[in-house]
Amino acid sequence: MSESDAAHRLDASSDELDIAIETNLDEDDRLKPEFVSAVLDAVEAGRDEDARALVYPLHPADVADLIELTPEDRRAAVAAALGDLVSAEVLSELNDYVRDTVVDALEPAQLAELASELDTDDAVAIIEDLDKADQQAVLDAMEPEDRAAIENALSYPEESAGRIMQRDLVAVPEHWTVGQTIDYLRDTVDLTSDFWEIFVVDAAHRPIGTCQLSWVLRCPRDIAMTDVMKREQTLIPVDMDQEELALRFQKYALISAAVVDPAGRLVGMITVDDVVHIIQEEAGEDILRLSGAGDGDINEPVLDSYRARVRWLISNLLTALLASFVIGMFEHTIEEMVALATLMPIVAGVGGNAGSQTMAVTVRALATNQITASNTWRTVLREIRVALLNGVTVATLLGLGVMIVFGNPQLGAVIAAAMMTNIVTAGVAGASIPLMFDRFNIDPAVASSIFVTMITDSMGFLAFLGLATLAGLAG
Amino acid sequence: MSESDAAHRLDASSDELDIAIETNLDEDDRLKPEFVSAVLDAVEAGRDEDARALVYPLHPADVADLIELTPEDRRAAVAAALGDLVSAEVLSELNDYVRDTVVDALEPAQLAELASELDTDDAVAIIEDLDKADQQAVLDAMEPEDRAAIENALSYPEESAGRIMQRDLVAVPEHWTVGQTIDYLRDTVDLTSDFWEIFVVDAAHRPIGTCQLSWVLRCPRDIAMTDVMKREQTLIPVDMDQEELALRFQKYALISAAVVDPAGRLVGMITVDDVVHIIQEEAGEDILRLSGAGDGDINEPVLDSYRARVRWLISNLLTALLASFVIGMFEHTIEEMVALATLMPIVAGVGGNAGSQTMAVTVRALATNQITASNTWRTVLREIRVALLNGVTVATLLGLGVMIVFGNPQLGAVIAAAMMTNIVTAGVAGASIPLMFDRFNIDPAVASSIFVTMITDSMGFLAFLGLATLAGLAG
């Protein structure tokens, strides 16, 4: 949070603020339903001032939550009633889909003014979602300097470092001392306050070292910056994908990092607070992708969710047809012994779940860069060993159960063998299919599930009905 | 990264370091397989010095990766060969399971020395995993001061703020000026260098404000700290769960935050670099829990993985038996028309996938605190609307297909109606079951899947076979 939004709020003493927070938020920092209702009721009744008084003490992130928790058809009214409490910072905290509703109600000039108040990265996040015409209208309404920064950011690919970096940073020449640096910081008025490291650059503006503020503060004034700085730096190429840079921040525990252009010149800085939500998103989206739920955002328009999900259900329908075809090959066997039809979904279903387990583990390990060529084979072998143990246990239980219930040892043996086969197949497929996709640079979370399900379903029916036929069970 | 580990490595100029990084790491910051093999070969051949020379330039996080990429049975040998390159910081970066192997090979005295070099939070992370006897041995071998800090941390519940906070922080009295603060920082020798904010405390050591280092640096010396600091702070109670505090860091974009005891006194500080991996873990674990894959760590011993997963497969076996029982009720119908057996898994399977989609969306929204009582009902309704659209599309396709292939319009109508019923059921169950578990404070990711699968399986067979029987298809 910057100083500016603190000014937004009551200059409450710490105690007063604690009370405000206690009243409005539950133990998970979520706005209480009573509070949300109180604001909505006030707006409904035309008591805008009351609504504003309620919202005034909130942190911008909580104002954003309030708008998200407001039913869609009342959001524009609530935003209008709150007026300038829906600050630039609130906009930048809003969910993308919800922001669209709010932003659509604003004039380009208003939006341009709001965007000018933000760091470039937050302004870009708002402007990049507009359609081309609106984008241009907002840019035209901005000051030339702000416009240039945003146009520059928009020239980089979406989700790249160039889009999320901020251009306001502190860089000093390598020949400066600590004292010169401190004087520069004190004397330069329009410098950002949101920085945690100072970059030391050479004459070509290439970063040669980085210096935590605490080191500057703790050194005598006459020490050279090059003696304080750390030479090892983790540099971020300006075209690096946000997922990769998030992993890099995490791996090296970075607070901020310099962004460099292809010539190695310092062009921006990324701070960890802008990376944290990327880490959260990227880590959370695998679960949505594996199930084919698209963006999986509860604020997404229903038609968009439908389009994303139905595509996957139709693919699933096709793979189910394959399984159905496998069953069809054994119609004669089933006619002879209809109990097989009763039991066959067990083999397919439990196998499918064993496959999901292995796939989830493999997809997560790939997403967190834990698997390389050095341990690929070992990972597959490990999954096979787990599958063998699982297979023996589940097959034994199922086989004994079926033998006792149906009084048919042969049927018990057949279903046990089929279950064992399918769980091991699930282990091999669940581990190797994501690894294969990753090798070909295809997102394993998106592509794997449909194939693994297809294999465990078909194999389940094939093994069970095939073995039953071979064993002459239906004869 | 602290200053100390920089000293570990080559004092390379930026250019040299870039080359080293380029040689050892691939584009995803993972160690190249060639490099790993070179180190392992050197250790194998007894050329420890060569191995050390290779590893010397690596960042501690990469040394940790190297040990993780080493096959399990060779890890102790590699760690022994690398000697003090396996620094305290490397230990703190290691995967929990892998660390156990390495730590087991160390004497308590060695471990105590390594732990003393670390921040309390990292030392605790290593020590908390030891068994009681080893823990005591290590603590006994430590300096009294370090021991007290770690014993204090261990007195808080696992995964609470008290475990992950660091005790080294900078707090100044409220009557100080900026100049006094800077002098104190310069003159106090044994102060931590890893801090990003200065806490201002009252006489009872309660934090009354916080001050970014950049603000201190940019203010004249005679300004009072209370005029620079921000009064609104996000305080972390010492017993807060790590998942909640991670969400709080994320929501309010914190770099560091004060940890307070129940009396409101400042007892520690948490910095965002310690929170980032919690965010990653918590966001990533839902996918593992939904599939019943336990911890889902590829370094987990096979037997532990087996135990975690087989439990879930057996539960799944029981729910599959229920579905099997449903089918059994219609044995007579199937005998009359065996095509029903061929088609029934389609209805159950596609319904199951529709349920997974809704469940994944709901579980993620709950995990990121997006759902409260204010929008619960709206979220369920939204999922039902998506389910209706999905249902109509998939049911139409399937119904028409079956009608054409089997030349039986009635069969087409029956399977379409069953598919529609099951997809809508899946939508309702997939949304409401996780919400219900969350309401009762049960982790929805762990508990939901088994129930949703049970419902979509049973409903799929019941709707299809039941409707077929009612329609007199088998007559």
Side-chain angles (χ1 to χ4, degrees):
Chain A
M1 199 178 62
S2 69
E3 279 169 303
S4 67
D5 57 74
H8 253 284
R9 301 188 276 145
L10 287 172
D11 194 356
S13 88
S14 169
D15 278 1
E16 284 168 42
L17 191 85
D18 279 358
I19 291 166
I21 284 173
E22 244 171 69
T23 337
N24 299 329
L25 299 176
D26 68 12
E27 74 283 4
D28 285 335
D29 293 332
R30 301 177 301 192
L31 289 171
K32 288 187 183 167
E34 309 86 87
F35 177 81
V36 176
S37 302
V39 176
L40 296 189
D41 291 349
V43 173
E44 182 99 323
R47 293 182 282 107
D48 287 5
E49 271 316 304
D50 290 354
R52 292 171 54 85
L54 282 166
V55 174
Y56 195 62
L58 294 187
H59 186 282
D62 287 312
V63 181
D65 280 0
L66 172 69
I67 297 173
E68 288 172 21
L69 289 172
T70 302
E72 206 177 329
D73 51 355
R74 296 169 66 186
R75 274 179 200 146
V78 169
L82 297 180
D84 62 357
L85 291 179
V86 184
S87 63
E89 185 136 9
V90 171
L91 279 189
S92 77
E93 297 273 352
L94 272 181
N95 174 284
D96 289 358
Y97 295 106
V98 179
R99 187 162 56 214
D100 284 351
T101 333
V102 177
V103 163
D104 282 350
L106 295 174
E107 295 297 314
Q110 285 175 287
L111 202 53
E113 200 189 310
L114 286 169
S116 306
E117 287 170 31
L118 290 170
D119 286 338
T120 322
D121 57 324
D122 291 327
V124 167
I126 294 175
I127 292 173
E128 68 184 355
D129 290 338
L130 300 176
D131 57 41
K132 275 273 168 247
D134 290 345
Q135 235 177 51
Q136 205 47 57
V138 173
L139 286 171
D140 289 344
M142 294 183 87
E143 299 291 319
E145 201 179 320
D146 292 334
R147 181 167 62 223
I150 288 176
E151 282 176 341
N152 176 260
L154 290 173
S155 72
Y156 295 107
E158 271 187 64
E159 310 211 324
S160 71
R163 287 276 177 118
I164 57 176
M165 72 187 182
Q166 58 188 72
R167 279 146 190 81
D168 291 335
L169 52 80
V170 178
V172 300
E174 53 186 322
H175 55 79
W176 277 17
T177 63
V178 166
Q180 279 175 297
T181 303
I182 293 181
D183 291 343
Y184 165 73
L185 291 175
R186 288 216 181 110
D187 300 341
T188 316
V189 178
D190 61 342
L191 214 56
T192 176
S193 275
D194 280 326
F195 64 99
W196 312 95
E197 284 177 282
I198 294 172
F199 302 106
V200 181
V201 292
D202 67 11
H205 213 68
R206 286 182 303 223
I208 59 163
T210 170
C211 194
Q212 287 187 17
L213 295 187
S214 63
W215 305 344
V216 177
L217 271 168
R218 300 201 49 202
C219 277
R221 288 182 59 94
D222 55 350
I223 302 278
M225 284 298 282
T226 45
D227 290 337
V228 186
M229 73 184 192
K230 190 178 65 176
R231 286 181 189 275
E232 290 88 358
Q233 316 170 68
T234 307
L235 302 176
I236 308 284
V238 71
D239 57 355
M240 184 177 237
D241 182 77
Q242 64 172 21
E243 180 165 10
E244 275 176 67
L245 77 86
L247 283 169
R248 188 171 280 191
F249 261 78
Q250 196 189 343
K251 177 169 182 180
Y252 297 118
L254 305 177
I255 298 293
S256 59
V259 180
V260 291
D261 69 11
R265 283 183 304 253
L266 180 66
V267 291
M269 165 178 80
I270 293 177
T271 51
V272 68
D273 52 317
D274 293 320
V275 174
V276 161
H277 77 273
I278 299 173
I279 294 176
Q280 153 84 272
E281 262 174 38
E282 300 280 348
E285 73 186 7
D286 283 344
I287 188 181
L288 300 165
R289 292 194 175 161
L290 263 188
S291 67
D295 276 356
D297 189 314
I298 56 164
N299 295 299
E300 192 179 35
V302 167
L303 277 180
D304 290 3
S305 297
Y306 160 66
R307 253 177 248 125
R309 295 196 210 168
V310 81
R311 205 176 303 150
W312 203 85
L313 292 178
I314 292 173
S315 318
N316 192 246
L317 188 60
L318 296 176
T319 60
L321 288 176
L322 184 71
S324 175
F325 176 78
V326 171
I327 301 172
M329 299 192 306
F330 298 98
E331 276 203 348
H332 180 70
T333 313
I334 294 173
E335 261 168 8
E336 300 283 323
M337 189 182 193
V338 78
L340 297 179
T342 321
L343 294 172
M344 66 185 185
I346 301 178
V347 180
V350 178
N353 284 299
S356 299
Q357 291 179 339
T358 306
M359 195 165 45
V361 172
T362 312
V363 164
R364 279 310 295 155
L366 283 169
T368 49
N369 276 346
Q370 287 188 76
I371 300 185
T372 76
S374 302
N375 61 346
T376 301
W377 185 228
R378 202 192 321 153
T379 307
V380 176
L381 271 184
R382 182 183 174 281
E383 289 304 318
I384 294 176
R385 287 161 68 201
V386 177
L388 286 169
L389 290 170
N390 281 334
V392 167
T393 312
V394 175
T396 307
L397 281 173
L398 181 61
L400 285 176
V402 166
M403 188 180 86
I404 292 163
V405 172
F406 289 79
N408 185 339
Q410 214 184 353
L411 183 60
V414 162
I415 202 167
M419 191 75 254
M420 182 78 203
T421 309
N422 206 23
I423 287 183
V424 174
T425 306
V428 175
S432 56
I433 288 180
L435 286 166
M436 201 188 61
F437 279 121
D438 184 66
R439 189 58 60 90
F440 290 110
N441 284 319
I442 299 168
D443 183 343
V446 173
S448 302
S449 187
I450 208 97
F451 289 92
V452 173
T453 310
M454 187 178 78
I455 291 173
T456 55
D457 267 8
S458 305
M459 178 52 89
F461 297 127
L462 182 66
F464 180 53
L465 298 174
L467 286 172
T469 307
L470 286 178
L473 269 182
Chain B
M1 196 178 67
S2 69
E3 280 170 306
S4 65
D5 56 75
H8 253 284
R9 301 188 276 146
L10 286 173
D11 192 355
S13 89
S14 169
D15 278 1
E16 283 169 42
L17 190 84
D18 279 357
I19 291 165
I21 284 175
E22 243 170 71
T23 337
N24 297 329
L25 300 177
D26 68 12
E27 74 284 4
D28 286 334
D29 293 331
R30 301 177 302 193
L31 290 170
K32 288 189 183 166
E34 309 86 87
F35 177 83
V36 176
S37 303
V39 175
L40 295 188
D41 290 350
V43 174
E44 183 99 320
R47 294 182 282 108
D48 287 4
E49 270 318 303
D50 291 353
R52 293 171 53 85
L54 282 166
V55 174
Y56 195 63
L58 294 188
H59 186 282
D62 287 311
V63 180
D65 280 359
L66 171 69
I67 296 173
E68 289 173 20
L69 289 172
T70 303
E72 204 177 330
D73 52 356
R74 294 168 66 188
R75 277 182 197 143
V78 169
L82 296 180
D84 62 359
L85 291 179
V86 184
S87 62
E89 184 134 9
V90 171
L91 279 189
S92 76
E93 297 274 352
L94 271 181
N95 174 285
D96 288 359
Y97 296 106
V98 178
R99 186 162 57 213
D100 284 352
T101 333
V102 177
V103 163
D104 282 351
L106 296 174
E107 296 296 314
Q110 285 176 286
L111 203 51
E113 199 189 311
L114 285 169
S116 307
E117 287 170 30
L118 289 171
D119 285 337
T120 322
D121 57 324
D122 290 328
V124 167
I126 295 174
I127 292 173
E128 67 183 355
D129 290 338
L130 300 175
D131 58 42
K132 276 272 167 250
D134 289 345
Q135 237 179 47
Q136 204 47 57
V138 172
L139 286 171
D140 289 345
M142 295 183 88
E143 299 293 319
E145 200 179 324
D146 293 333
R147 181 167 63 224
I150 288 174
E151 281 176 341
N152 175 259
L154 289 173
S155 73
Y156 294 107
E158 270 188 64
E159 309 210 325
S160 71
R163 287 276 176 116
I164 56 177
M165 72 186 182
Q166 57 189 73
R167 278 145 190 81
D168 291 335
L169 53 82
V170 178
V172 301
E174 52 186 322
H175 55 80
W176 277 19
T177 62
V178 166
Q180 278 175 297
T181 304
I182 293 181
D183 292 343
Y184 165 72
L185 291 175
R186 287 216 182 110
D187 300 342
T188 316
V189 178
D190 61 342
L191 214 55
T192 176
S193 277
D194 281 327
F195 64 101
W196 312 96
E197 283 176 283
I198 294 172
F199 301 105
V200 181
V201 291
D202 66 12
H205 213 65
R206 287 183 303 224
I208 58 162
T210 170
C211 194
Q212 288 188 15
L213 294 187
S214 63
W215 306 344
V216 176
L217 271 167
R218 300 202 49 203
C219 278
R221 288 181 60 94
D222 54 352
I223 301 276
M225 284 299 282
T226 45
D227 290 336
V228 186
M229 73 184 190
K230 189 177 64 176
R231 286 179 190 276
E232 289 88 0
Q233 319 170 66
T234 307
L235 303 176
I236 307 283
V238 71
D239 57 354
M240 185 178 237
D241 182 77
Q242 64 173 18
E243 181 167 8
E244 276 177 67
L245 78 87
L247 283 170
R248 188 171 279 192
F249 261 78
Q250 196 188 343
K251 177 170 183 180
Y252 298 116
L254 305 176
I255 298 294
S256 59
V259 180
V260 291
D261 68 12
R265 284 183 304 255
L266 180 67
V267 292
M269 166 178 78
I270 294 177
T271 51
V272 67
D273 51 316
D274 293 320
V275 173
V276 161
H277 77 272
I278 298 173
I279 293 176
Q280 153 85 270
E281 262 174 37
E282 300 280 348
E285 72 185 8
D286 283 344
I287 189 181
L288 301 164
R289 291 192 177 163
L290 263 188
S291 68
D295 276 355
D297 189 315
I298 57 166
N299 295 298
E300 190 181 38
V302 168
L303 276 180
D304 290 2
S305 297
Y306 159 66
R307 256 178 246 123
R309 295 196 211 168
V310 82
R311 207 176 304 149
W312 204 85
L313 292 178
I314 291 172
S315 317
N316 193 244
L317 188 59
L318 297 176
T319 63
L321 288 176
L322 183 70
S324 175
F325 175 76
V326 171
I327 301 171
M329 299 192 304
F330 299 98
E331 276 203 349
H332 179 68
T333 312
I334 295 173
E335 261 169 7
E336 299 285 321
M337 189 183 193
V338 78
L340 297 179
T342 322
L343 294 173
M344 65 185 188
I346 301 177
V347 180
V350 177
N353 283 300
S356 299
Q357 291 180 338
T358 306
M359 194 164 49
V361 171
T362 311
V363 164
R364 280 309 296 153
L366 284 169
T368 50
N369 276 346
Q370 286 188 76
I371 299 185
T372 76
S374 302
N375 61 347
T376 300
W377 185 229
R378 202 192 322 156
T379 307
V380 176
L381 272 183
R382 183 184 174 281
E383 288 303 319
I384 294 177
R385 287 161 67 201
V386 177
L388 286 170
L389 289 171
N390 280 335
V392 168
T393 312
V394 175
T396 307
L397 281 173
L398 181 59
L400 286 175
V402 166
M403 189 181 84
I404 292 165
V405 172
F406 288 81
N408 185 340
Q410 215 185 351
L411 183 60
V414 162
I415 203 167
M419 191 75 254
M420 181 78 203
T421 309
N422 205 24
I423 287 183
V424 174
T425 306
V428 175
S432 55
I433 289 180
L435 287 167
M436 201 187 60
F437 279 122
D438 185 66
R439 190 59 60 91
F440 291 109
N441 284 318
I442 299 168
D443 184 343
V446 173
S448 304
S449 187
I450 208 98
F451 289 91
V452 174
T453 309
M454 186 178 79
I455 290 173
T456 55
D457 268 9
S458 305
M459 178 53 87
F461 297 128
L462 182 66
F464 181 53
L465 298 174
L467 286 172
T469 308
L470 286 178
L473 269 181

